[in-house]
Amino acid sequence: MTVPITVNGAPAELPAGATVAVLVAERSGGHDRVAVARNGDVVPRSSWATTELSPGDRLEVLAPTAGG
């Protein structure tokens, strides 16, 4: 069974029981400094492992970029 969610505006599916930590591990592209918002609320890094994703959740995974 999978959980349908939206990540950075695109549909995605993760295994049932997946947490924010699982999402970050799959989607962070090797960045260790990312922020995650779930349904418009920032998820503290300390809660990633215990924040289970639910069907319909809208997540934003944001990584800083260098610029000028």
Side-chain angles (χ1 to χ4, degrees), residues 20-21 24 31-36 42-51:
V20 170
V24 170
H31 295 283
D32 61 347
R33 294 184 181 194
V34 297
V36 179
V42 172
V43 180
R45 185 178 295 265
S46 61
S47 298
W48 287 3
T50 57
T51 302

Side-chain angles (χ1 to χ4, degrees), residues 6 10-11 18 23-24 26 31-32 37 45 48 51-54 57-58 60-61 67:
T6 302
L23 173 70
V24 170
E26 288 186 5
H31 295 283
D32 61 347
R45 185 178 295 265
W48 287 3
T51 302
E52 194 169 311
L53 301 176
S54 299
D57 277 350
R58 299 184 63 80
E60 298 292 326
V61 180

